[in-house]
Every structure is written in structure tokens, then in C-alpha cells.
């Protein structure tokens, strides 16, 4: 039997055609969770000016039994430092106004990220007596909130019914700020196995106009923040090409750091070994993943990167760094190799070792099965049923 109606609150969400892919993993998760509900309502509040900042435009849309809304509200960055409660109030009022206007009824709220969506959800619940689940995906923000004993984060966690943490080893940290670990549950992110599966490598290379005789190293990630570690990836490639010429590193993604990254490539004379291809629609990413020999994510911080699971789903080895929840997933060198973050020399060694290794693709594929979104969605829905107060009558 299906549950009734679910409300999802997320401060970022893709547009209808996924030309903007912020928090694409939330949308991918919903594609499977929706099967357990009559209706799913997604509300992604937008501060005025955010469309220009993200270089996109939003319109409300529907798919299957899911309705997506982007209500506007007034906000300025200074609110975060001097008036976060005011920020939450403004955002919550925009959500409440939309709920009343559209006559939305729901039995459960699932908020993605504690700030601001979780904080908005618990304020919203002054008007609705429903359970609240919060998924906390961040790495740096999460640890900062624990270290500083951030009152908004702590109060939000205390007022919700259950917290999903994508990194298992962080569960004990909640106790440091007075949150019982009994309300914390480890559920990782996942991948869409109907899109991310093995294609024929050389056919993908032909479609993408990539060379067939090169070892291709792929990175997919936005170029907005240095936390993605592109600087160290390029330095690592510079080390590798000193003794081998058969590699091409392809970086998929766009952002404000692109000029700096391009300059680094040119200064090192790596134009023939590193190419920036810009942002690509999410639906095209499986082609790029299947065209590569190894996938590399040299992040300085991570929560539970979706591209890691997508890479494994395509039967490709994952080369990453020992940050966030990555070591919990790449727990064996049967699935990938891990380097120290901010260490180009170590990263170069791991990339070269991966290029020289004969990987068991079947073993990678079998391991990835547990991270399919249908399996992850089932765990989340079980949490809805089993760990929310029974008086909510789900």
C-alpha cells in the first residue's frame, strides 16, 4: 500500500530539463521514492537574484506524480552572518504561502541539508503536525557546526524526528552536541542504474570525438570551488606525462574557476594532455564515464559524492581522496584507489597504478548493486515507516 503525500524541501533543485543540475541527486532519489507515495511535492525556495547567480531560470513543473515548485523570497547574504533566524522566517513564509495557495496536503517532510532546508522544515512544522526527516549531506559545514556547537543546527536536529547521515563514521559526532545517536541513520547516496551502466567504450569515444588510442582519465565536477581539487589533478597529470605520453585527462564541468584552471594547463604546457569540455547535460554523463579508463575525483572535502556511485555503476574504477564518506565506499582496492588530499604526487601514483591495473569490471558492477537508487530508496522509506512517531499514522 502506498503512503499518501510527501513534501520534500531542498534549497537547490534541477530545472525541468536538467540543464541546471544543482542537487541532481535529490531528484534522482525522488524518482524512486515517488513510487511509494500518491503524490510528492518538491519545494525549492529561491532568493530573488538566485536565477541570475546560477545562470538559469526556473518554472514550476511536473513529472509523474511529482510536482516541483520554486517560490521566491527576499534574502541577502548578510542574513547568514547577522540574521539567520530572519532568513529562515522569510524562506519559511514563502513555503507556507505556496502550500496554502496550492492547497498542498502532506503526511511527512523530508528536508535535504540541515541549513537552510531543515531549519525551514522545523519552523514550518509549527503549523503542521507531521514527522520531519533531515538528510545531512555536507562535510565541511557539518563538522563546523559540530565544532562550533551551532545553535541553529543543534535545535533543528533536536526538533526533527530522524536524521539521515551519508557518512557512517559521523554518527557518533552528534552525541557531542547532545543529539541521541538513536535518531541518526546511515544511508548513503546512490545512482540511477537505468542510466549509469556499461556501454561499449570505443563507441562512446566515437560519439564524443575522443581518441581511441589514449588512456582517458575523466573528472566530472563543477568548477566553482577549489574544494574539488582540480589544481592537484592537473599537477598530477603534469607528473605522469614526464614519463608517458599516452594519456588524456578530460574535465567535464563549468564555473568561475575555468579561466584559472585553463591558465594552469597552459602554463604547464599540458594542452595536449588535459582538455576542458565544459558543462554537459546530466543525461550525457554516462557516455563520458563509459569512454574513460579511470575516473578521478581529487576533492579536498566531500560528503558522499554521487559521481562515485555512478562511476562504479559504469564498471569503472574510482580514484579519489581519503575524505568524507569516500573511504567507506572505496573500502577495497578492487573498486578503486585513494590518495591523500592536496597531494599531487600521491594522486599521480594512484592514477598511474590504476591505469596499469587489470580491473575486474564484473566485481565492480556486483559491488555497485547495493547503491542503486531503488535499493537506497527502499531503505529511506523503511525509515519513514519504522522510525517516525506512530501517532503520525503513516
Amino acid at each position: 500500500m502506498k503512503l499518501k503525500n510527501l513534501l520534500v524541501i531542498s534549497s537547490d533543485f534541477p530545472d525541468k530539463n536538467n540543464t541546471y543540475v544543482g542537487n541532481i541527486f535529490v531528484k534522482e532519489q525522488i524518482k524512486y521514492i515517488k513510487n511509494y507515495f500518491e503524490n510528492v511535492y518538491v519545494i525549492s525556495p529561491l532568493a530573488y537574484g538566485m536565477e541570475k547567480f546560477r545562470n538559469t531560470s526556473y518554472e514550476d513543473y511536473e513529472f509523474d506524480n511529482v510536482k516541483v515548485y520554486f517560490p521566491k523570497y527576499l534574502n541577502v547574504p548578510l542574513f547568514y552572518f547577522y540574521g539567520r533566524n530572519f532568513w529562515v522566517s522569510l524562506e519559511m513564509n514563502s513555503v507556507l504561502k505556496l502550500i496554502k495557495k496550492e492547497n498542498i496536503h502532506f503526511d511527512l517532510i523530508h528536508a535535504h541539508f540541515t541549513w537552510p532546508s531543515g531549519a525551514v522544515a522545523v519552523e514550518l512544522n509549527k503549523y503542521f503536525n507531521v514527522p520531519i526527516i533531515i538528510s545531512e549531506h555536507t562535510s565541511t559545514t557539518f563538522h563546523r557546526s559540530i565544532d562550533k556547537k551551532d545553535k541553529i543546527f543543534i535545535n533543528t536536529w533536536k526538533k526533527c524526528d530522524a536524521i539521515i547521515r551519508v557518512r557512517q563514521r559521523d554518527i557518533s559526532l552528534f552525541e557531542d552536541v547532545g543529539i541521541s545517536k538513536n535518531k541518526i541513520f546511515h544511508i548513503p547516496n546512490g545512482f540511477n542504474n537505468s542510466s549509469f551502466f556499461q556501454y561499449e567504450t570505443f563507441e562512446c569515444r566515437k560519439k564524443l570525438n575522443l581518441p581511441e588510442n589514449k588512456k582517458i582519465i575523466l573528472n566530472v565536477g563543477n568548477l566553482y570551488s577549489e574544494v574539488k581539487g582540480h589544481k592537484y589533478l592537473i599537477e598530477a597529470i603534469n607528473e605522469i606525462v614526464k614519463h608517458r605520453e599516452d594519456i588524456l585527462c578530460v574535465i567535464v564541468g563549468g564555473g568561475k574557476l575555468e579561466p584559472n584552471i585553463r591558465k594552469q594547463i597552459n602554463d604547464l604546457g599540458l594542452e595536449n594532455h588535459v582538455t576542458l569540455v565544459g558543462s554537459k547535460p546530466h543525461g550525457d554523463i554516462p557516455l563520458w564515464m563509459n569512454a574513460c579508463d579511470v575516473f578521478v575525483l581529487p576533492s579536498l572535502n566531500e560528503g558522499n559524492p554521487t559521481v562515485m556511485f555512478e562511476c562504479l555503476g559504469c564498471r569503472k574504477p574510482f580514484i579519489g581522496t581519503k575524505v568524507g564518506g569516500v573511504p567507506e565506499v572505496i573500502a577495497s582496492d578492487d573498486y578503486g584507489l585513494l590518495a591523500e588530499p592536496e597531494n599531487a604526487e600521491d594522486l599521480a601514483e594512484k592514477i598511474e597504478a590504476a591505469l596499469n591495473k587489470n580491473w575486474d569490471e564484473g566485481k565492480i558492477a556486483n559491488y555497485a548493486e547495493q547503491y542503486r537508487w531503488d535499493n537506497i530508496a527502499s531503505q529511506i522509506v523503511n525509515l519513514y515507516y519504522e522510525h517516525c512517531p506512530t501517532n503520525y499514522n503513516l
Side-chain angles (χ1 to χ4, degrees):
M1 186 179 77
K2 286 189 177 182
L3 298 171
K4 291 184 179 180
N5 301 327
L6 171 68
L7 174 63
V8 175
I9 302 178
S10 179
S11 58
D12 204 356
F13 200 79
D15 57 15
K16 182 176 182 178
N17 298 316
N18 293 343
T19 53
Y20 174 80
V21 294
N23 281 5
I24 186 70
F25 61 91
V26 178
K27 187 173 183 177
E28 292 297 317
Q29 183 183 111
I30 288 170
K31 287 179 180 178
Y32 292 88
I33 286 180
K34 69 179 176 58
N35 297 324
Y36 296 89
F37 288 87
E38 292 180 7
N39 299 286
V40 176
Y41 303 99
V42 180
I43 300 181
S44 183
L46 281 175
Y48 285 105
M50 187 58 71
E51 289 173 296
K52 184 176 181 180
F53 176 77
R54 293 175 179 170
N55 193 30
T56 189
S57 60
Y58 293 96
E59 292 182 0
D60 298 345
Y61 65 94
E62 299 181 24
F63 63 94
D64 300 326
N65 60 330
V66 180
K67 295 183 178 180
V68 183
Y69 301 94
F70 299 98
K72 302 278 186 67
Y73 70 102
L74 178 66
N75 195 4
V76 294
L78 286 176
F79 287 171
Y80 183 82
F81 299 100
Y82 300 108
R84 287 188 295 164
N85 289 326
F86 188 42
W87 175 332
V88 169
S89 177
L90 291 171
E91 189 167 333
M92 187 275 294
N93 285 334
S94 74
V95 174
L96 183 60
K97 183 178 178 181
L98 173 71
I99 290 171
K100 291 179 178 178
K101 176 185 174 183
E102 299 293 331
N103 195 28
I104 295 172
H105 297 278
F106 50 90
D107 309 283
L108 172 74
I109 300 175
H110 189 162
H112 288 272
F113 299 92
T114 306
W115 175 265
S117 299
V120 169
V122 297
E123 285 300 304
L124 189 67
N125 217 28
K126 292 178 179 178
Y127 303 88
F128 307 95
N129 184 31
V130 298
I132 297 175
I133 310 294
I134 295 175
S135 285
E136 180 50 62
H137 303 278
T138 64
S139 180
T140 302
T141 301
F142 169 75
H143 287 99
R144 185 187 300 123
S145 68
I146 295 289
D147 293 342
K148 293 187 175 182
K149 293 182 170 51
D150 190 296
K151 290 183 179 179
I152 286 185
F153 279 76
I154 294 170
N155 289 337
T156 299
W157 292 334
K158 286 182 176 179
K159 291 177 181 177
C160 73
D161 295 286
I163 300 165
I164 295 173
R165 181 60 179 150
V166 295
R167 181 181 175 184
Q168 188 170 24
R169 64 182 295 184
D170 286 338
I171 290 178
S172 62
L173 298 179
F174 284 93
E175 293 182 294
D176 295 342
V177 292
I179 308 298
S180 171
K181 65 179 182 181
N182 292 329
K183 72 188 297 185
I184 320 298
F185 302 90
H186 168 246
I187 303 177
N189 284 329
F191 74 99
N192 183 348
N193 64 294
S194 64
S195 298
F196 290 89
F197 55 88
Q198 187 176 41
Y199 306 172
E200 212 286 320
T201 298
F202 291 111
E203 286 300 316
C204 293
R205 291 190 182 188
K206 286 180 182 179
K207 289 181 180 180
L208 299 173
N209 197 28
L210 294 172
E212 296 183 17
N213 61 344
K214 296 280 189 180
K215 292 288 188 179
I216 293 182
I217 300 156
L218 179 69
N219 168 268
V220 178
N222 69 68
L223 308 184
Y224 287 102
S225 171
E226 293 182 357
V227 75
K228 291 299 181 182
H230 291 99
K231 168 187 172 183
Y232 300 97
L233 173 58
I234 294 166
E235 289 179 3
I237 299 299
N238 189 50
E239 289 299 313
I240 296 171
V241 299
K242 289 178 180 178
H243 52 271
R244 64 185 298 172
E245 290 287 321
D246 64 336
I247 66 167
L248 176 65
C249 177
V250 178
I251 297 176
V252 177
K256 64 182 181 180
L257 295 181
E258 185 172 341
N260 295 343
I261 294 171
R262 195 174 297 279
K263 182 178 185 302
Q264 183 186 10
I265 293 168
N266 293 338
D267 288 348
L268 293 172
L270 294 174
E271 297 92 333
N272 294 328
H273 296 287
V274 183
T275 182
L276 304 179
V277 298
S279 297
K280 300 296 177 183
H282 190 252
D284 289 350
I285 300 303
L287 283 175
W288 293 93
M289 285 192 170
N290 277 284
C292 77
D293 292 284
V294 298
F295 184 94
V296 181
L297 189 70
S299 301
L300 314 187
N301 281 298
E302 278 292 351
N304 215 212
T306 305
V307 290
M308 173 172 58
F309 305 110
E310 294 170 342
C311 159
L312 297 175
C314 293
R315 302 188 173 199
K316 300 296 181 178
F318 180 87
I319 313 307
T321 48
K322 300 172 184 177
V323 296
V326 175
E328 293 179 354
V329 176
I330 309 301
S332 164
D333 58 12
D334 288 329
Y335 319 122
L337 302 173
L338 300 181
E340 296 295 332
E342 302 182 70
N343 189 326
E345 183 178 343
D346 191 21
L347 183 62
E349 291 178 2
K350 297 302 189 297
I351 292 172
E352 191 153 19
L355 292 173
N356 294 330
K357 182 172 178 174
N358 184 22
W359 295 91
D360 186 338
E361 295 178 348
K363 195 167 189 176
I364 294 174
N366 290 336
Y367 179 69
E369 284 288 300
Q370 64 187 300
Y371 299 113
R372 287 169 28 178
W373 270 129
D374 54 346
N375 293 327
I376 299 300
S378 177
Q379 295 178 51
I380 293 171
V381 172
N382 285 338
L383 177 62
Y384 294 163
Y385 271 115
E386 296 173 12
H387 299 289
C388 292
T390 55
N391 63 306
Y392 289 119
N393 296 317
L394 287 181

